[in-house]
Amino acid sequence: MYSIIGGGIGGLTTALAFEKMGVEYQLFEKAERLRPIGSGILLTPNALKVFEWLGILDDIVRSGSPMKRITLTKPDLSPLFDYQQDDVKEKYGHYSLSIHRWELQRILLQGLSNEKIHLGKSLSGFEQEDDGVRMLFEDGTATMTSFLIGADGIHSRIRQRLFPTSGTRYSGQTCWRGICALDQNISEAYRYRGIEMWGEQLRFGISQIETDKFYWFAVILSPPDEKDIQGRVKDRLSTSFKNFHPIVKTLIRATDEQDIIRSDIYEVLTMTKWYHENICLLGDAAHATTPNMGQGGAQAIEDAYFLTRAIKNGGPGSAFARFQKLRAKKVARIVKRSWIMGKAGHWKHFTGLRNLLLKTAPRALLKSEWRSIYSLE
């Protein structure tokens, strides 16, 4: 029996992969109930290939919005980089797709057995024993399992206990995320596009996630753990981005303040091992990356695919080692490049040089980068 800790995208995808491949599992999630929270998530072709394998791609396509064009711009929306994604679809089978995170979770949950999902179960600790792992929960209960899968996010208790010297690194940046509807006359220019505006130490992004809804994010340099003043979030963001295109203020003002999500941006420092004996980490628990390449969720989804295949193709004894061997190189490259990209987006000086490099970057270089990310095998 495999026990998955965490009911996020990585944990749910792993459960669905186990369901497909006949791997016995149970999933434990600390939330008392799964409800519609969160913002948008980008699903690139590598993630969509996994969902195609799982048989849920059609549901996801119906619930999300294809990203047929990617545009990187100055604050006034004048383009630095503008790329139609038709060749990506032709080569990899899919456009990237934006979807509400809750819609994705809902679709994943539909394929799972209710009796295997345990809510309100927050892991407080675990003990490795000769016959498995004893999981201890904050409600005072304990459960034995043969194998433990830690899909409990960037602040993973399992990682902290298993590898006490592991750590995270703060990027110096804080991200606010929101979802809102736009008037059709305004929104037409932003449909089926991913747009990111780079200013001086500020970034703002837009993507459509449904027919009438748009996801946005705003990134600002900020000390960690700073608290927002209640009722002043939209004022702060509108002021910070006052020199950006008016669409930015329109999106911020159209969003209910209580639905704006704030998060400091961290990464997990590279670890030499993601597993110990019969416990293994995946997704953000093992290799959380900054979101600058749109690969955080996608890499957790890939983890689910490769871990399940490693278990089925060679048995559980060495599956975790095989899994990490298959994944570590690609993940490390993405984490490193995403960090660099995030820093470049917030340069205070030499922004003119940065913008020139972006405008003149060879398309062949970009295609090579995509090939290394979007290829699943």
Side-chain angles (χ1 to χ4, degrees):
M1 173 70 75
Y2 288 79
S3 291
I4 303 165
I5 302 296
I9 302 303
L12 292 174
T13 305
T14 302
L16 191 57
F18 283 178
E19 191 88 35
K20 174 184 174 68
M21 299 298 285
V23 178
E24 289 296 318
Y25 76 93
Q26 53 187 342
L27 184 147
F28 298 89
E29 162 57 38
K30 65 182 178 181
E32 295 289 341
R33 63 188 181 94
L34 297 176
R35 55 193 179 89
I37 59 174
S39 53
I41 182 172
L42 176 66
L43 299 176
T44 46
N46 46 321
L48 295 175
K49 279 288 188 183
V50 175
F51 290 140
E52 187 174 33
W53 173 71
L54 288 170
I56 60 172
L57 181 61
D58 289 346
D59 290 337
I60 289 171
V61 170
R62 281 193 293 268
S63 298
S65 178
M67 190 177 291
K68 300 180 180 181
R69 181 179 171 192
I70 292 177
T71 311
L72 183 62
T73 79
K74 296 179 182 179
D76 62 359
L77 274 184
S78 58
L80 296 169
F81 169 87
D82 196 7
Y83 196 70
Q84 298 285 348
Q85 296 287 287
D86 293 346
D87 60 336
V88 170
K89 184 177 187 299
E90 181 178 352
K91 183 170 182 61
Y92 302 103
H94 310 284
Y95 292 112
S96 293
L97 180 140
S98 292
I99 189 172
H100 195 298
R101 186 177 291 268
W102 167 249
E103 284 297 313
L104 177 57
Q105 287 181 288
R106 180 186 61 77
I107 293 167
L108 289 166
L109 281 165
Q110 285 178 349
L112 301 178
S113 303
N114 290 336
E115 63 269 19
K116 297 179 182 179
I117 308 296
H118 309 281
L119 301 179
K121 305 294 286 187
S122 179
L123 188 77
S124 60
F126 58 87
E127 298 169 355
Q128 288 182 290
E129 302 179 359
D130 291 340
D131 56 347
V133 181
R134 181 177 297 277
M135 301 178 294
L136 309 173
F137 296 95
E138 290 186 354
D139 61 5
T141 61
T143 303
M144 284 296 298
T145 188
S146 300
F147 301 95
L148 180 61
I149 306 299
D152 52 339
I154 188 171
H155 302 297
S156 168
R157 288 184 177 181
I158 298 174
R159 184 188 70 243
Q160 292 166 5
R161 168 77 182 277
L162 205 61
F163 305 110
T165 60
S166 66
T168 60
R169 177 166 61 157
Y170 180 50
S171 67
Q173 302 162 11
T174 296
C175 183
W176 287 260
R177 299 174 173 90
I179 291 173
C180 66
L182 283 181
D183 179 271
Q184 185 171 354
N185 293 329
I186 299 174
S187 66
E188 200 59 40
Y190 307 99
R191 293 190 185 280
Y192 311 121
R193 295 175 70 184
I195 300 174
E196 188 166 331
M197 306 175 216
W198 282 17
E200 186 178 294
Q201 300 186 297
L202 295 167
R203 285 183 292 152
F204 195 94
I206 310 168
S207 63
Q208 182 184 11
I209 60 169
E210 295 178 20
T211 301
D212 60 344
K213 289 184 180 179
F214 287 78
Y215 160 62
W216 59 265
F217 64 86
V219 186
I220 298 175
L221 297 183
S222 171
D225 302 320
E226 186 181 58
K227 303 299 182 184
D228 284 326
I229 300 173
Q230 189 173 1
R232 298 296 303 275
V233 176
K234 294 203 290 187
D235 290 339
R236 175 183 181 176
L237 294 177
S238 294
T239 299
S240 296
F241 290 88
K242 64 183 179 182
N243 294 325
F244 277 57
H245 189 279
I247 187 61
V248 171
K249 187 173 183 179
T250 297
L251 287 161
I252 293 169
R253 291 300 179 191
T255 307
D256 289 338
E257 185 153 316
Q258 64 183 5
D259 295 331
I260 297 176
I261 298 170
R262 174 189 175 133
S263 54
D264 293 334
I265 299 176
Y266 286 85
E267 69 171 17
V268 169
L269 296 172
T270 301
M271 299 190 300
T272 56
K273 286 187 73 175
W274 301 345
Y275 64 93
H276 179 68
E277 296 180 354
N278 48 358
I279 301 176
C280 186
L281 306 172
L282 63 74
D284 282 354
H287 49 71
T289 179
T290 54
N292 306 302
M293 295 178 69
Q295 283 295 309
Q299 292 308 301
I301 292 161
E302 277 197 39
D303 278 356
Y305 173 77
F306 282 101
L307 175 61
T308 306
R309 292 181 62 183
I311 291 169
K312 292 300 291 184
N313 291 343
S318 58
F320 295 160
R322 292 196 305 275
F323 161 64
Q324 182 171 343
K325 185 177 181 180
L326 288 167
R327 298 287 296 130
K329 185 176 180 180
K330 179 176 182 178
V331 165
R333 184 173 65 247
I334 288 171
V335 170
K336 180 179 180 180
R337 292 182 184 180
S338 184
W339 181 270
I340 293 170
M341 183 178 294
K343 289 300 182 182
H346 288 264
W347 282 1
K348 183 175 183 179
H349 306 292
F350 308 112
T351 55
L353 175 61
R354 177 197 67 190
N355 293 349
L356 177 63
L357 292 172
L358 288 168
K359 292 188 76 168
T360 58
R363 291 296 184 263
L365 183 64
L366 179 65
K367 290 181 180 181
S368 174
E369 181 75 11
W370 279 339
R371 184 161 54 247
S372 70
I373 295 173
Y374 293 168
S375 297
L376 191 58
E377 299 297 339

